[in-house]
Amino acid sequence: MNKVNHIISILAVLIALISYAFYFFSNETMNKAFLDQYEEFSSYEMINTNPIVYQVDFKNDESGYLVFSSEYGYQSDIVMATLVDNTGSIINVKMYSENETKVFFERLYNKAFFKKNFHGKPIKNGFSILTNVDGVSGATISSGAVSKAVHNGSEFIGKKYLNIDISNPYGIIQFGMVDAAIITMFVLVLIAHFTKNKNLRTLTLVYFFTLMGLKFVQFISYSNFISFVTFNFPSIYENLRWYLLFVGSVALVMFTGKNLYCTYICPFGAMQQMEFKFAKLNFFKVSKNIKKMFKILPGFIAWFAFVLAMFSKDITAANYEPFSLVFGRVGLGVQWILLPVTVFMSLFLMTYYCNYGCPVGFTWKILLKIRRKVKRIVWRN
C-alpha cells in the first residue's frame, strides 16, 4: 500500500510540474478576429512588437494607433486595446483578455467604466484611479489595473509617435485605511499568540470577521499563492494592501513556525469558529476513519485546481472557495453549493471547511514542512 501511495505521489508531482511548464512555455498568438471587429478603422498594419502596436486607417482617411498593453490585476494579466487618433485623444478602449473573477470584473461593464473614464479623453493627462479615473467599488484592483494598462499603452503612443509629453501619476505608494488595518491586524495576532490570551484571541476573530472580512473584503485565497509562483504581482504603488496581507502572512507563518493565518486571521475561519461555539451542537461525532479519509481532500483539491489553472492559463480556475459569497456578496458555480454545505456542517464540526476543503490551509502546511526541513538542515550543519 505504501508503494502505491508513493507512486501516486510521484505521478501527482510530475503532472503538476508538467502543467507548470506548460503555463510558461506554451505560446499565445494575437487573435485577428479581435482586430476585424472594429468599426472605427478599415485597415491595420503592425508597426511595433513590444508592445504590440498597429497603425490603423480610419474611415475618414485619417490615421491612428491601436496599442495592446497589460497590467496585473487581482489574479491575472489584464490586456487592454487602446485606440488613439493622431491628435492624442482616445477613440476606444476594449478589453482584449483577462482572467479576473468574472463577477467582479463584470462590475466594470455594468458601471460603463471604459466609456466614462477613457473614451474621448486626451492622453496627455495620463490615467489613474488615484487622480482622474473613478474606480469601481468592489473591483478596485481590477479597475486600477485597467487604468494602468491604458496609461502605459497611451504613454508609449504619445512619446514614440505623437511627440506628446504624458503626465505620470504613478510612482508614489498609496497608504490608506485598509493598509493601516492590516498592520494593526498583525500586531494583534502577535500579541495574542505570545501572551496566549484567550479573550484577546476572541477579539481578534471578531475584528477580522467584521472589519477585514465584511468591510474591507481582505483575505488570502488559493489564487494568491498561484499568482506568486507564476510571478504575477499587482503594482505595489496602487495595491500595497496585497503585499501587506500576502507577504506579511507568509512572513508571519514562516517566522513563528505556526499557522497563525488560519488560527487568527482568516475571516472565513473566524466565521466557522463563532458559528460552532454559538450553536453548541458538538454532539455530532465523526469516526476517525472518515476523518482520515476526508483529510486527503484539501490536498487533492489544491493539486487539481493548480493543474487546471496551469493548463487553462486561467488562475480563476482555482477560485472555488466560498469566501466571496460571504464577504464580497458575489459568487459563481460551485461556490453556491460549497457555502450552504459549509455553513451547515460547521454547526457540528469545528472549522469544517478548514479541515476538509480549504487549499489555503493545505498550502500553509506544505510551507511549514519545508520550513522544518530547512531548519533541520541548517542546525545539522
Side-chain angles (χ1 to χ4, degrees):
M1 188 64 180
N2 289 333
K3 288 184 178 180
V4 173
N5 291 337
H6 187 62
I7 292 173
I8 292 174
S9 298
I10 292 175
L11 287 175
V13 171
L14 285 175
I15 293 172
L17 290 174
I18 291 170
S19 68
Y20 188 62
F22 179 85
Y23 179 87
F24 286 103
F25 296 112
S26 60
N27 295 320
E28 292 185 356
T29 57
M30 178 64 65
N31 185 357
K32 298 298 183 182
F34 179 86
L35 298 171
D36 294 333
Q37 72 179 342
Y38 278 90
E39 297 180 354
E40 291 89 346
F41 53 81
S42 55
S43 63
Y44 52 85
E45 179 185 3
M46 184 182 288
I47 57 174
N48 199 76
T49 56
N50 188 23
I52 294 176
V53 178
Y54 289 88
Q55 185 169 25
V56 302
D57 294 318
F58 296 118
K59 294 180 179 179
N60 59 3
D61 294 330
E62 293 186 359
S63 62
Y65 303 92
L66 180 67
V67 57
F68 291 81
S69 50
S70 67
E71 182 67 22
Y72 195 79
Y74 180 71
Q75 59 189 21
S76 72
D77 268 327
I78 300 175
V79 182
M80 300 302 301
T82 305
L83 183 61
V84 183
D85 65 20
N86 57 15
T87 67
S89 292
I90 289 183
I91 302 299
N92 199 346
V93 166
K94 290 185 179 183
M95 186 279 299
Y96 176 72
S97 67
E98 53 84 22
N99 283 313
E100 299 289 89
T101 302
K102 300 305 179 187
V103 287
F104 289 113
F105 200 79
E106 283 174 1
R107 291 179 178 176
L108 275 64
Y109 292 108
N110 295 336
K111 298 289 185 180
F113 176 76
F114 304 134
K115 186 174 182 180
K116 287 181 180 178
N117 289 291
F118 306 113
H119 292 189
K121 301 291 179 67
I123 64 174
K124 66 179 181 180
N125 298 323
F127 299 97
S128 168
I129 60 171
L130 307 177
T131 54
N132 57 358
V133 176
D134 295 327
V136 176
S137 178
T140 306
I141 294 180
S142 295
S143 55
V146 168
S147 302
K148 184 102 183 267
V150 172
H151 172 84
N152 291 341
S154 57
E155 181 182 41
F156 182 84
I157 295 299
K159 289 182 177 180
K160 186 172 180 65
Y161 301 109
L162 301 177
N163 195 28
I164 297 176
D165 290 327
I166 309 296
S167 175
N168 184 12
Y170 297 94
I172 300 176
I173 295 178
Q174 300 296 307
F175 186 88
M177 187 181 299
V178 178
D179 308 296
I182 293 174
I183 293 174
T184 303
M185 174 189 75
F186 286 126
V187 173
L188 287 174
V189 168
L190 288 172
I191 294 174
H193 172 65
F194 288 113
T195 61
K196 308 298 182 183
N197 189 311
K198 293 183 178 180
N199 292 328
L200 184 55
R201 183 175 182 275
T202 301
L203 176 63
T204 60
L205 290 176
V206 174
Y207 174 85
F208 302 143
F209 175 72
T210 55
L211 190 63
M212 302 306 296
L214 295 177
K215 182 172 177 59
F216 293 138
V217 196
Q218 296 296 308
F219 48 79
I220 292 177
S221 67
Y222 189 42
S223 60
N224 290 125
F225 289 102
I226 295 181
S227 297
F228 184 80
V229 298
T230 54
F231 308 105
N232 289 310
F233 312 114
S235 170
I236 192 172
Y237 297 109
E238 299 85 51
N239 302 298
L240 177 62
R241 65 189 65 176
W242 190 96
Y243 291 88
L244 286 175
L245 180 61
F246 182 71
V247 178
S249 295
V250 172
L252 182 72
V253 171
M254 300 304 283
F255 171 73
T256 62
K258 303 289 184 181
N259 184 1
L260 298 187
Y261 178 82
C262 293
T263 306
Y264 288 96
I265 296 174
C266 177
F268 195 67
M271 183 192 80
Q272 292 176 81
Q273 293 180 56
M274 290 187 290
E275 180 188 354
F276 180 80
K277 290 179 180 180
F278 178 77
K280 296 182 179 179
L281 299 177
N282 56 351
F283 57 82
F284 183 75
K285 301 296 182 182
V286 179
S287 70
K288 291 183 178 180
N289 289 334
I290 294 178
K291 282 185 176 181
K292 186 177 181 181
M293 182 178 66
F294 277 22
K295 281 286 186 180
I296 68 171
L297 284 177
F300 172 76
I301 294 171
W303 172 83
F304 182 79
F306 178 83
V307 171
L308 184 61
M310 293 299 97
F311 276 127
S312 66
K313 291 197 169 186
D314 181 1
I315 294 178
T316 60
N319 254 359
Y320 62 88
E321 301 117 318
F323 304 150
S324 60
L325 269 176
V326 177
F327 305 114
R329 275 73 73 182
V330 290
L332 287 174
V334 71
Q335 293 173 326
W336 289 99
I337 300 173
L338 277 177
L339 181 61
V341 171
T342 299
V343 170
F344 176 76
M345 293 301 295
S346 295
L347 292 170
F348 308 97
L349 296 172
M350 172 75 88
T351 56
Y352 162 78
Y353 177 75
C354 302
N355 292 318
Y356 305 117
C358 184
V360 174
F362 173 79
T363 306
W364 288 127
K365 289 180 181 178
I366 296 298
L367 290 175
L368 286 173
K369 284 183 180 180
I370 295 173
R371 179 188 184 275
R372 286 193 290 269
K373 288 184 178 181
V374 171
K375 186 178 179 180
R376 282 198 295 268
I377 293 172
V378 171
W379 280 106
R380 193 179 300 156
N381 295 333

